[in-house]
Amino acid sequence: MKKQITMCNNQDSFHIQTNTDNPFIEVEHFQICKHNQQSPGDVFFSEKDQDTGRTVLTLSDGLGSGIKANVLATLTATMATKFVVNNIAISRAAEIIMNTLPIDKEKRISYATFTILDIKPDASVTIIEYDNPPYLLVRQKTIVEPIKECTPFKRRNKKYAPLMQPILHYSSYKANPGDRIIFFSDGVSQAGLGTKEHPFGWGVENAHEYTLDCIKKNPVISARELAHAIVQKAVEIDSCYPKDDISCGVVYFRAPRDTLILTGPPMHPESDNDLISIFNAFKGKKIISGGTTANIISRGINQKIKMDLKHFDVDIPPFSTMEGVDLITEGIITLNAVTDMLETGTFALFTDDNAATRMTDILMNSDRIYFVVGTKINEAHQDPALPESLEIRRNIIKRMASLLQDRYLKEIHIRYI
């Protein structure tokens, strides 16, 4: 059973966690479909067991591209993730998958490859790979060659066994703070295949070296930014017309990044001081969503609000700036837009610079997100002329929080005030 989002209605219960004995596990991925294909043949699944704290990841590459490859990769990734989450040993899960998946009768090769990661809260990592490019472990800006156990696998049904005996690569170790694990499909390593510059493709070694260069240039680069950089480089090598599905997953073990979102005025004016105290005590990124809330903080910290009119957007109200605050936005419309982007997953495609994209970017680069939600009713939001999609603040926050926790593996805390 999944752990519920932490919610409370008094200040004492709203505790900002500072225990970092175990590194935070940041997980992100990015992918681009093969040129002229609408359905990805690579599938990335991630799931966090809220009871045990384990994180399970699977990247599967279906044979070929398009719908057929997507179905086979989805089947593989679903089986792998669910098996491991339900405490089936990762090696046993791989065995079941190998004996279940069909074989292409003509090519006599498996219909899908996979990389499965099982990560415990103490950063103990177990990885099993089948026919994907080998993963990369970066520790202290250096490539570390993990010790792997190579196990030949024999299918029960030998009639349809591959021509070459499958090899499963198994590794297990304790990750250190600062470690990164990078894994990708062969769309990365085979980028540029057949070109004059890369007749045999970009290659695993070149991809690994490029990854290391990215980390050296930006030692605190997030998992999301690194996954984007690797995929975009592969697309560039493919002359911007990907010849295969290109996917990359990144795991980053580090100290957690915290974000506070204040939205809505408190029910009672005397609680304004509580809001200001929470704001002043918080050490991470700070977002204020809503004009009334911003004015309360402005008075409390004696700082002026300045509206930014350089980044005009016809759909999203402009954002503002204030000393000590990372972002100030309008309330309901912007929160709605952010939640819609999180739900559709389209934020990675937006190039607009507005309040919604800026808030989404901060959330995606955060690990623990603390919402302080004022419960005073804003009469303007009760106007029947407003669109039905414009939900009241509390409902929007609930939907946003659920998406951030369940889909993006963020740790969420909510306080109503």
Side-chain angles (χ1 to χ4, degrees):
M1 184 175 180
K2 285 189 175 182
K3 181 180 178 183
Q4 297 296 313
I5 294 170
T6 302
M7 290 188 283
C8 55
N9 293 299
N10 60 80
Q11 190 168 352
D12 292 337
S13 299
F14 194 72
H15 177 61
I16 309 298
Q17 297 184 33
T18 57
N19 181 9
T20 56
D21 291 341
N22 294 328
F24 190 88
I25 303 167
E26 180 189 7
V27 176
E28 275 294 350
H29 85 286
F30 187 61
Q31 75 176 184
I32 289 181
C33 290
K34 179 181 178 180
H35 181 58
N36 283 334
Q37 290 287 348
Q38 301 301 316
S39 181
D42 298 344
V43 171
F44 180 91
F45 278 177
S46 60
E47 186 167 336
K48 185 172 183 178
D49 187 327
Q50 297 297 336
D51 292 329
T52 64
R54 287 169 57 224
T55 302
V56 180
L57 318 170
T58 305
L59 173 63
S60 180
D61 182 356
L63 181 62
S65 58
I67 297 296
K68 181 180 178 181
N70 177 267
V71 169
L72 292 163
T74 300
L75 173 63
T76 303
T78 302
M79 291 171 63
T81 305
K82 295 301 181 185
F83 285 159
V84 178
V85 166
N86 286 285
N87 295 315
I88 295 177
I90 194 169
S91 55
R92 175 59 180 156
E95 181 182 340
I96 295 172
I97 294 168
M98 295 290 288
N99 276 315
T100 302
L101 289 177
I103 293 292
D104 185 286
K105 294 181 180 179
E106 294 182 3
K107 298 181 180 179
R108 295 288 294 277
I109 58 176
S110 293
Y111 269 122
T113 65
F114 56 81
T115 301
I116 309 170
L117 291 79
D118 182 11
I119 308 171
K120 294 181 173 58
D122 66 352
S124 296
V125 181
T126 302
I127 303 176
I128 196 159
E129 306 167 279
Y130 169 60
D131 230 22
N132 273 339
Y135 73 88
L136 170 66
L137 172 61
V138 177
R139 177 171 293 165
Q140 297 180 346
K141 303 180 188 178
T142 303
I143 295 175
V144 176
E145 190 65 36
I147 299 173
K148 296 184 181 182
E149 177 184 330
C150 302
T151 306
F153 179 82
K154 293 184 179 179
R155 282 179 176 262
R156 292 174 185 167
N157 189 344
K158 296 182 179 180
K159 181 178 179 181
Y160 297 113
L163 292 175
M164 296 181 64
Q165 189 174 32
I167 303 293
L168 296 176
H169 299 274
Y170 176 91
S171 52
S172 182
Y173 55 91
K174 180 77 172 284
N176 294 336
D179 281 6
R180 289 179 174 88
I181 299 172
I182 300 95
F183 52 105
F184 45 75
S185 64
D186 61 8
V188 172
S189 55
Q190 294 182 8
L193 184 68
T195 62
K196 184 177 180 180
E197 187 175 359
H198 301 283
F200 301 106
W202 190 22
V204 170
E205 290 187 5
N206 287 332
H208 286 183
E209 287 297 330
Y210 174 79
T211 303
L212 189 61
D213 286 343
C214 289
I215 294 171
K216 287 180 177 179
K217 290 177 182 176
N218 182 6
V220 295
I221 186 171
S222 70
R224 185 164 68 101
E225 293 168 324
L226 185 56
H228 275 240
I230 294 167
V231 170
Q232 294 292 359
K233 182 62 176 180
V235 171
E236 178 187 322
I237 291 173
D238 259 340
S239 302
C240 297
Y241 293 95
K243 299 180 180 67
D244 194 2
D245 302 292
I246 301 175
S247 304
C248 178
V250 178
V251 182
Y252 185 14
F253 300 86
R254 53 164 175 73
R257 295 170 179 157
D258 295 336
T259 291
L260 173 68
I261 298 181
L262 304 180
T263 179
M267 173 68 76
H268 306 290
E270 56 266 28
S271 296
D272 287 0
N273 288 333
D274 291 343
L275 198 67
I276 295 166
S277 296
I278 292 171
F279 175 88
N280 286 329
F282 195 79
K283 301 302 181 184
K285 295 274 188 180
K286 300 176 184 179
I287 299 174
I288 301 174
S289 183
T292 304
T293 315
N295 286 330
I296 292 172
I297 300 300
S298 174
R299 292 193 298 269
I301 65 174
N302 195 28
Q303 293 290 340
K304 291 184 178 180
I305 301 171
K306 297 179 181 179
M307 183 174 289
D308 186 307
L309 297 177
K310 295 180 181 179
H311 302 85
F312 179 77
D313 191 291
V314 294
D315 298 315
I316 306 297
F319 54 84
S320 301
T321 60
M322 180 167 63
E323 186 71 27
V325 185
D326 294 279
L327 180 66
I328 300 176
T329 76
E330 173 276 340
I332 300 298
I333 295 174
T334 305
L335 291 170
N336 239 339
V338 171
T339 304
D340 287 343
M341 283 193 286
L342 293 172
E343 192 162 43
T344 59
T346 56
F347 52 85
L349 304 176
F350 279 88
T351 56
D352 299 337
D353 185 6
N354 59 40
T357 56
R358 287 196 174 202
M359 185 186 294
T360 305
D361 189 62
I362 292 173
L363 294 176
M364 287 298 95
N365 284 316
S366 302
D367 309 309
R368 301 188 301 207
I369 301 168
Y370 297 83
F371 291 92
V372 178
V373 184
T375 55
K376 184 176 181 180
I377 296 175
N378 188 332
E379 294 180 2
H381 297 156
Q382 313 308 311
D383 186 348
L386 291 174
E388 292 182 5
S389 60
L390 198 62
E391 303 177 61
I392 62 173
R393 190 183 312 270
R394 187 178 297 202
N395 289 341
I396 297 173
I397 296 302
K398 284 182 179 179
R399 188 159 66 100
M400 180 187 291
S402 294
L403 286 166
L404 288 167
Q405 175 181 274
D406 299 339
R407 187 175 299 181
Y408 300 100
L409 306 183
K410 308 298 183 182
E411 183 179 318
I412 303 299
H413 304 266
I414 301 177
R415 179 193 172 190
Y416 296 105
I417 186 171

